[in-house]
Amino acid sequence: ATEDTLNQRADLLKDGWTVESSMRYTEPVSAVTQIMLRHDASYSENTSDKKTWDREMVFGNDALNETLSNEFANQYLTQSASAGINYEEGDIDLIASVGYQWATLQNDQRYPYEGSLSRSFGNLVPFARMRWKISRSKNVHVFYRSRTSPPTIDQMQDVLDNSNPLQLSIGNPGLDQSSMHFGGLRYSSTDIENSAYFFAFAGASVTEDYIGSHSFLASRDTTVFGIPLGAGTQISRPENLDGQYSFRGFMTYGRPVDFLKSNLNINFTGTLSNTPGLINGRQNESFTRSVGVGAVLSSNISPDFDFTLTSNASNNWVQNSVQDAYTTEYFSLDSRLRFNWIMWAGFVFNTDLAHQYYSGLSSDYDDDYLLWNISIGKKVFPNDRGEIRLTLYDVLGQNNSIRRSVTDIYIEDARSNVIQRYVLLSFTWNLRHFTI
């Protein structure tokens, strides 16, 4: 076994600002049609200054590490002009436009060496939206839009991040902006007689020049992206890739439950996405699916007494085309009960009971826990403007925090330290003053 010590100090100073302008002109051409002209402009400037110092083991002096230090700035200017129509007659409301966007991206490196890179982009930016009022209680909304997004300064800054020596990362100043196209459909229906409600949504997106990750796993000592790597080390850099797409669906139905004096909502969700990446030069497709079902029961008993009971379950599948070992499936269930009671003489009682269950994580992380909070308060002052409250958090001492991250090169299950059982005494005073 070998040991190594890394003693460094890093400072990161980031700054940025954005200014935008928009001009619109609308001209009626008939009783139901309008022509629209529009011009938009945006300018943003960002700077990032990262300095890393190595500390000497003997004398404790700090020496600037030029390999891990960098000063970088970028400017992003966009201008777009568009023309469209707005048609509204009867139950149909239609807006459609097409525009063209010019964009320039200027990158300037100031340390450890000076250099600049400038690029220009041109994109069509279409937009369409239609609302159809089928009846007084039913309507359909269909829309399509596109947008461009520049890379962030973190993604472009050509400086090595060695905060995790076995998973290094570095920026890529040669990144292009990405372009996303998104379309969707919404349908809603209300049954006024039975106080029932139904809503459904479906949407899909495709991103061109998606900013993904190029990861390299060194099987032997080598140099990648100009960085010397030891065997077993990983390094990643952002890259523009094609092949990113996603689909999402959501549906909910709600109606009263008269004998409980409550409202019940049931919802279903589903997502499907494909995220491209590069692993040692080979394109990897990370295919993710998830389905979920949930229910919310909310009371409507009286102004002084109410409760809300929720439960949401989801199952997730992740499959990687290159790294099949990182194909995984996991399940989570989150249930919660909230109870509020305004008692006599201005006393208020609240309790919150939450249960979290995980399955499919690493053997040491499959867990379920119960989080229970209780509080009692007393309203004070005229008009109940003040409140003194005593709260006991995590009565059972089970509070936990578990998170799963799935990438194309690793699966990480992490548990974070959280505050468990404690008591809090608080005072709240609402300052209100209304004049007529």
Side-chain angles (χ1 to χ4, degrees), residues 199 201 247-252 266-272 289-295 312-317:
F199 175 84
F201 168 82
F247 300 91
R248 180 176 182 268
F250 175 79
M251 183 168 41
T252 184
I266 300 175
N267 57 75
F268 300 91
T269 60
T271 61
L272 181 70
R289 295 171 294 156
S290 69
V291 294
V293 60
N312 293 283
S314 66
N315 205 75
N316 302 269
W317 299 265

Side-chain angles (χ1 to χ4, degrees), residues 359-429:
S359 176
L361 306 184
S362 303
S363 58
D364 293 336
Y365 287 85
D366 280 7
D367 207 350
D368 68 294
Y369 63 90
L370 197 60
L371 181 61
W372 185 18
N373 305 322
I374 298 177
S375 71
I376 188 166
K378 176 67 171 68
K379 298 291 185 180
V380 295
F381 302 152
N383 299 320
D384 294 336
R385 290 189 177 184
E387 182 183 76
I388 301 174
R389 179 180 293 270
L390 181 66
T391 305
L392 175 59
Y393 291 92
D394 192 15
V395 176
L396 304 177
Q398 296 184 15
N399 194 15
N400 211 333
S401 176
I402 298 175
R403 177 180 55 85
R404 162 157 285 200
S405 299
V406 181
T407 72
D408 48 4
I409 58 173
Y410 68 85
I411 298 175
E412 179 184 69
D413 294 328
R415 178 182 285 116
S416 303
N417 291 329
V418 293
I419 298 176
Q420 292 191 327
R421 186 185 300 114
Y422 66 98
V423 177
L424 178 66
L425 178 64
S426 62
F427 170 72
T428 304
W429 186 10

Side-chain angles (χ1 to χ4, degrees), residues 279-296:
I279 301 178
N280 288 22
R282 297 174 58 193
Q283 179 144 336
N284 177 73
E285 306 293 337
S286 183
F287 189 66
T288 302
R289 295 171 294 156
S290 69
V291 294
V293 60
V296 180

Side-chain angles (χ1 to χ4, degrees), residues 247-262:
F247 300 91
R248 180 176 182 268
F250 175 79
M251 183 168 41
T252 184
Y253 175 76
R255 65 170 302 133
V257 183
D258 294 332
F259 72 93
L260 291 176
K261 295 184 179 180
S262 303

Side-chain angles (χ1 to χ4, degrees), residues 35-239:
I35 293 178
M36 304 178 300
L37 300 177
R38 177 171 175 172
H39 179 271
D40 296 282
S42 173
Y43 177 79
S44 63
E45 185 169 322
N46 296 276
T47 61
S48 180
D49 183 359
K50 182 177 181 181
K51 296 293 192 301
T52 302
W53 287 269
D54 295 321
R55 172 153 294 186
E56 295 179 353
M57 299 298 296
V58 179
F59 300 103
N61 296 323
D62 291 342
L64 184 64
N65 188 321
E66 293 188 359
T67 303
L68 305 178
S69 300
N70 183 279
E71 290 184 34
F72 190 84
N74 71 355
Q75 301 88 38
Y76 184 62
L77 173 65
T78 65
Q79 294 193 71
S80 64
S82 64
I85 62 169
N86 182 5
Y87 173 84
E88 184 175 358
E89 183 177 14
D91 299 328
I92 300 294
D93 180 6
L94 173 65
I95 297 177
S97 67
V98 62
Y100 192 82
Q101 183 189 77
W102 302 265
T104 58
L105 183 62
Q106 174 75 32
N107 301 321
D108 297 307
Q109 182 163 291
R110 303 166 182 172
Y111 184 87
Y113 57 85
E114 294 187 356
S116 62
L117 179 64
S118 179
R119 288 188 304 283
S120 300
F121 311 97
N123 298 89
L124 285 175
V125 187
F127 173 81
R129 186 191 70 197
M130 184 191 73
R131 292 176 178 172
W132 177 25
K133 190 176 181 181
I134 303 173
S135 66
R136 293 183 59 186
S137 60
K138 299 177 182 179
N139 66 81
V140 173
H141 183 189
V142 183
F143 61 93
Y144 165 79
R145 65 175 180 265
S146 65
R147 72 179 184 203
T148 60
S149 300
T152 66
I153 194 167
D154 293 330
Q155 293 171 329
M156 304 183 71
Q157 191 171 16
D158 190 17
V159 60
L160 183 68
D161 181 356
N162 71 334
S163 54
N164 185 342
L166 296 181
Q167 293 180 358
L168 306 175
S169 63
I170 192 171
N172 181 2
L175 290 173
D176 292 336
Q177 68 175 7
S178 60
S179 300
M180 188 193 75
H181 304 271
F182 180 75
L185 181 148
R186 292 201 297 258
Y187 171 80
S188 64
S189 174
T190 303
D191 184 350
I192 300 176
E193 182 178 350
N194 297 307
S195 300
Y197 176 75
F198 176 77
F199 175 84
F201 168 82
S205 69
V206 176
T207 303
E208 299 173 330
D209 289 323
Y210 171 77
I211 300 178
S213 178
H214 184 182
S215 302
F216 192 93
L217 289 69
S219 59
R220 54 182 175 80
D221 293 349
T222 185
T223 300
V224 180
F225 308 138
I227 305 299
L229 302 179
T233 305
Q234 302 175 5
I235 190 171
S236 61
R237 184 178 74 169
E239 297 282 355

